[in-house]
DNA sequence: AAGGGACGCGCG
DNA sequence: AAAGCGCGCGTCCCTT
């Protein structure tokens, strides 16, 4: 029974959704069913070993929404037991959203329950506690009474949300993301170790004994020592490298690539190549795969909302930084394939939707958004359009980007007014919010003290300059926050919808990784990076999966922006590997 | 010896 | 050609 794949038991839209609150009491797991008004209907007490079976039964019966303190703590053991949950409400993640949201009129009770604020990566803390055999975290938030109390506080806070607030959608999407994060970790990203090794050998030479530089890297280091006439140079030391460059009359202020690229000297190509290979070796070399890849899977730890804007972060293995050159190692299992999809120009389209800028929507519909901006005559080239748009969203003030950005104001005043207003509010120390109501953290006491100091009678020029800079820094942050944060919401909606759609697919005849989790026998999301997903699926379902990915994107757009005509075109590829041709 | 900051670079 | 948002992480190097 336990091994049953619960996902196949979709109860359909008519089944009542109930809240099933999960918490601990006296070494047992307590599940309390609540009705729509959060009134208690039923309470069961289970031995810890019985919980997974309980979840299976309930999923088959009616797929309740599991309310628990922390998905990263409750869900992995279920997945390990072969049990999947359809819906959840993650109290920690939701608390962090609701307690500081500008959309909540009465956040007082939530803010008082500070023990729920938690860190950004409880999963990591729990893993570390297990690793060092320490007692469970000292907080009591997992206790059933505390869990019920927090759930009721959150329901109470949500009932004070402003009319039309998207916070309930955000809480649901955030929680679905937390389920998915645990599932993706369990499933892993299919990784072809042999191909990775082949890339490393081709670039660096044979794997060296531990501690030694690979041959190709040592060759380049030696050439650098000759070209810079510095026989003991360690090119890994920026300080010594800079001194050596200066001795040869190369006037650079740093050893960073963008500055070196502007210098005409024989040492530059050698140095750039050394840096490229050194990076590959230290970030994604043999030591990396020893640590992070096993049994053909790369298993990063995803941290939902690890970024203030709501974007995900990751811990370990640099999951969000896999270099493009190594994507050839991301390779489907035999008989399976990858559906690799990314959204074209997600953030500008999100800005278009949230500002309801009809001109920008018209420019971007059904085509490359930047080409559309060129066609509108705002700027001359696609490259300029991209630069100007990035400048608008990041707050560029100088350079080409800063020069081009004002042109967009004339052509797309609504969209530009939205980011400009967010910047002004940030400069004043005021909060801003995403479409669904995620709100910036407070600017902080130090920031306000800096501003206050500048307006005192005896403020120095330095005080005033410092305050201005801090104010503009904050403005650029809030300007970008509303766009990056709403884009993260779009991505969550996309993921949550896709995750559900994929449960409708049948199990594969040929299992991917027979030892993997049960849900990995059907198409499943194997990777997510801000505006890109990779689905691992049996080849015979690739086309249908690609369609599901597109349908989910369209549904996400409607969920956030209703019938406003902004579209989210995807670049979808069906392939053996994640490498772009 | 451990920890933290600076640097540099990978990703969106 | 480059500076303007959000990250993680490896290395060096200095402090404690």
């Amino acid at each position: 029974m336990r091994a049953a794949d619960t996902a196949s038991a979709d109860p359909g839209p008519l089944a009542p959704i109930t809240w099933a609150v999960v918490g601990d009491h006296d070494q047992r797991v307590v599940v309390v069913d609540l009705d729509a008004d959060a009134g208690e209907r039923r309470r069961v007490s289970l031995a810890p070993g019985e919980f997974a079976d309980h979840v299976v039964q309930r999923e088959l019966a009616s797929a309740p929404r599991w309310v628990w303190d922390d998905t990263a703590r409750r869900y992995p053991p279920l997945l390990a037991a072969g049990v999947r949950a359809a819906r959840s409400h993650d109290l920690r993640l939701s608390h962090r959203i609701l307690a500081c949201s500008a959309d909540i009129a009465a956040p007082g009770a939530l803010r008082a329950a500070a023990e729920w604020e938690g860190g950004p990566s409880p999963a990591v803390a729990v893993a570390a506690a297990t690793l060092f055999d320490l007692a469970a975290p000292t907080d009591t938030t997992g206790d059933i009474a505390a869990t019920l109390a927090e759930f009721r506080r959150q329901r109470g806070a949500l009932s004070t949300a402003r009319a039309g607030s998207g916070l309930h959608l955000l809480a649901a999407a955030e929680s679905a993301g937390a389920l998915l994060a645990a599932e993706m970790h369990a499933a892993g990203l299919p990784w072809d170790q042999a191909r990775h090794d082949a890339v490393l050998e081709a670039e660096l030479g044979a794997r060296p004994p531990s501690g030694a530089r690979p041959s190709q890297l040592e060759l380049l280091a030696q050439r650098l020592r000759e070209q810079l006439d510095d026989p003991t140079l360690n090119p890994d030391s920026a300080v010594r490298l800079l001194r050596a460059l200066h001795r040869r009359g190369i006037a650079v202020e740093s050893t960073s690539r963008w500055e070196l690229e502007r210098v005409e000297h024989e040492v530059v190509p050698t140095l750039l190549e050394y840096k490229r290979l050194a990076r590959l070796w230290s970030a994604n070399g043999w030591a990396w795969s020893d640590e992070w890849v096993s049994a053909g899977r790369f298993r990063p730890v995803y941290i939902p909302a690890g970024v203030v804007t709501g974007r995900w972060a990751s811990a370990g293995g640099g999951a969000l930084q896999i270099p493009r050159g190594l994507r050839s190692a991301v390779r489907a299992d035999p008989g399976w394939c990858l559906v690799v999809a990314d959204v074209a120009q997600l953030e500008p389209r999100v800005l278009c939707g949230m500002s309801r800028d009809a001109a920008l929507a018209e420019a971007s519909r059904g085509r490359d958004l930047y080409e559309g901006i060129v066609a509108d005559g705002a700027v001359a080239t696609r490259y300029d359009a991209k630069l100007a748009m990035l400048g608008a969203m990041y707050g560029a003030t100088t350079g080409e980007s800063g020069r081009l950005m004002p042109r967009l104001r004339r052509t797309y005043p609504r969209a530009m007014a939205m980011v400009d207003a967010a910047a002004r509010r940030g400069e004043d120390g005021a909060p801003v919010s995403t479409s669904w109501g995620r709100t910036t953290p407070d600017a902080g006491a130090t920031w306000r003290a800096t501003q206050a100091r500048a307006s005192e009678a005896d403020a120095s020029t330095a005080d005033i300059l410092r305050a201005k800079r801090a104010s503009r820094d904050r403005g650029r942050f809030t300007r970008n926050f509303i766009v990056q944060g709403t884009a993260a919401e779009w991505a969550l909606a996309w993921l949550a919808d896709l995750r559900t759609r994929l449960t409708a697919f049948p199990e594969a005849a040929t299992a991917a990784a027979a030892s993997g989790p049960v849900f990995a026998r059907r198409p499943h999301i194997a990777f997510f990076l801000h505006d890109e997903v990779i689905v691992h699926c049996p080849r015979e379902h690739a086309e249908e999966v690609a369609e599901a990915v597109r349908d989910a994107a369209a549904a996400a757009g409607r969920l956030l922006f209703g019938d406003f005509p902004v579209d989210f075109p995807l670049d979808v590829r069906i392939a053996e590997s994640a490498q772009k041709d």
Side-chain angles (χ1 to χ4, degrees):
Chain A
M1 186 62 228
R2 171 168 300 185
D5 186 347
T6 55
S8 60
D10 185 348
L14 293 177
I17 297 174
T18 61
W19 306 97
V21 183
V22 179
D24 309 317
H25 183 68
D26 273 353
Q27 320 271 324
R28 294 176 69 81
V29 178
V30 179
V31 180
V32 179
D33 286 9
L34 302 180
D35 58 28
D37 300 322
E40 184 165 336
R41 283 269 190 79
R42 186 173 74 129
R43 178 176 292 236
V44 296
S45 171
L46 306 159
E50 298 170 332
F51 180 52
D53 280 339
H54 177 81
V55 172
V56 171
Q57 302 289 352
R58 301 293 303 278
E59 288 285 334
L60 287 168
S62 69
R65 193 172 289 279
W66 300 100
V67 180
W68 48 41
D69 56 341
D70 183 359
T71 306
R73 183 161 142 193
R74 301 280 174 184
Y75 197 30
L78 291 177
L79 288 171
V83 177
R84 192 172 169 284
R87 308 179 178 91
S88 79
H89 178 87
D90 185 301
L91 289 168
R92 267 181 191 282
L93 290 170
S94 299
H95 182 103
R96 282 165 53 208
I97 292 167
L98 298 176
C100 81
S101 176
D103 284 3
I104 298 281
L110 273 186
R111 288 192 188 162
E115 69 274 18
W116 285 90
E117 275 164 29
S121 58
V124 177
V126 170
T130 312
L131 192 61
F132 301 111
D133 197 29
L134 299 173
T138 51
D139 69 73
T140 56
T141 56
D143 181 82
I144 185 63
T147 299
L148 277 164
E150 172 63 13
F151 180 63
R152 293 194 168 116
R153 277 193 296 272
Q154 292 193 8
R155 299 290 292 170
L158 265 174
S159 71
T160 73
R162 67 166 176 79
S165 165
L167 281 172
H168 60 290
L169 291 173
L170 179 52
E174 188 99 311
S175 301
L179 292 175
L180 178 63
E183 288 164 6
M184 285 200 298
H185 177 78
L189 181 64
W191 192 269
D192 185 336
Q193 187 61 62
R195 193 160 290 259
H196 182 195
D197 288 343
V199 171
L200 293 179
E201 280 203 26
E203 298 271 26
L204 299 164
R207 178 173 190 165
S210 134
R213 273 201 190 92
S215 57
Q216 196 55 33
L217 211 47
E218 189 51 53
L219 200 72
L220 287 164
Q222 199 49 48
R223 191 177 303 157
L224 281 172
R225 293 185 193 109
E226 287 160 15
Q227 287 174 333
L228 289 168
D229 195 21
D230 184 345
T232 63
L233 176 70
N234 171 14
D236 295 327
S237 166
V239 175
R240 289 177 217 185
L241 189 54
L242 195 60
R243 272 203 289 265
L245 289 166
H246 287 170
R247 273 198 302 274
R248 306 300 294 177
I250 300 171
V252 285
E253 285 183 18
S254 74
T255 66
S256 56
R257 194 182 61 204
W258 65 267
E259 205 178 346
L260 288 167
E261 277 168 352
R262 299 161 60 187
V263 174
E264 281 275 342
H265 191 284
E266 60 161 3
V267 79
V268 169
T270 316
L271 186 47
L272 294 181
E273 179 69 355
Y274 179 87
K275 279 168 168 280
R276 188 180 73 80
L277 294 185
R279 168 81 193 179
L280 174 64
W281 179 47
S282 71
N284 297 101
W286 295 278
W288 176 85
S289 59
D290 283 352
E291 187 170 0
W292 296 106
V293 178
S294 67
R297 292 290 186 273
F298 169 43
R299 293 177 198 282
V301 174
Y302 297 91
I303 305 173
V307 180
V308 278
T309 58
R311 273 187 174 182
W312 289 16
S314 73
L320 275 44
Q321 306 145 252
I322 299 171
R324 295 180 160 279
L326 230 50
R327 282 179 155 245
S328 58
V330 178
R331 181 157 289 266
D333 289 352
W336 286 53
C337 69
L338 303 176
V339 177
V340 184
D342 66 278
V343 198
Q345 306 107 24
L346 174 59
E347 292 193 350
R349 289 173 192 278
V350 161
L351 173 58
C352 174
M354 65 196 299
S355 63
R356 308 189 91 75
D357 188 312
L360 189 53
E362 183 61 36
S364 63
R365 190 148 51 249
R367 61 174 159 179
D368 183 281
L369 178 137
Y370 299 130
E371 296 289 5
I373 292 176
V374 173
D376 277 349
V379 294
T381 67
R382 184 185 186 280
Y383 183 69
D384 285 355
K386 182 172 181 174
L387 217 53
M389 189 52 86
L390 290 177
M393 294 186 304
Y394 294 166
T397 53
T398 61
E400 275 297 284
S401 184
R403 191 177 66 76
L404 287 165
M405 186 253 276
R407 297 188 177 206
L408 295 184
R409 284 210 185 88
R410 289 199 292 273
T411 318
Y412 312 109
R414 275 187 81 113
M416 295 305 118
M418 184 146 208
V419 280
D420 287 345
R424 279 195 304 276
R425 282 183 62 81
E427 287 168 6
D428 292 344
V432 298
S433 299
T434 61
S435 283
W436 275 350
R438 195 189 303 268
T439 300
T440 46
D442 189 82
T446 310
W447 188 92
R448 271 192 303 280
T450 303
Q451 301 305 317
R453 176 73 195 126
S455 55
E456 281 168 15
D458 61 340
S460 69
T461 312
D463 289 334
I464 292 168
L465 281 177
R466 183 162 42 243
K468 280 212 159 107
R469 193 173 62 228
S471 171
R472 289 202 197 98
D473 287 351
R474 184 73 185 175
R476 283 195 305 277
F477 168 65
T478 52
R479 171 190 289 273
N480 185 249
F481 181 93
I482 60 167
V483 182
Q484 187 181 119
T486 305
E489 285 162 359
W490 185 93
L492 276 181
W494 183 36
L495 286 176
D497 191 277
L498 176 59
R499 174 177 176 269
T500 303
R501 282 173 201 269
L502 294 181
T503 63
F505 282 79
E507 285 194 3
T510 57
S515 61
V518 175
F519 66 84
R521 290 181 196 157
R522 57 164 57 93
H524 58 275
I525 301 172
F527 189 69
F528 163 58
L529 180 55
H530 308 319
D531 62 358
E532 173 186 15
V533 299
I534 299 179
V535 179
H536 193 204
C537 73
R539 239 179 242 150
E540 66 265 30
H541 294 133
E543 294 295 341
E544 282 175 279
V545 166
E547 206 48 43
V549 172
R550 287 195 190 90
D551 291 347
R558 283 192 300 276
L559 195 59
L560 266 140
F561 307 119
D563 55 9
F564 182 77
V566 56
D567 59 0
F568 292 88
L570 301 183
D571 178 16
V572 184
R573 301 191 317 282
I574 297 168
E576 297 271 305
S577 108
Q579 184 81 61
K580 218 168 199 169
D581 299 318

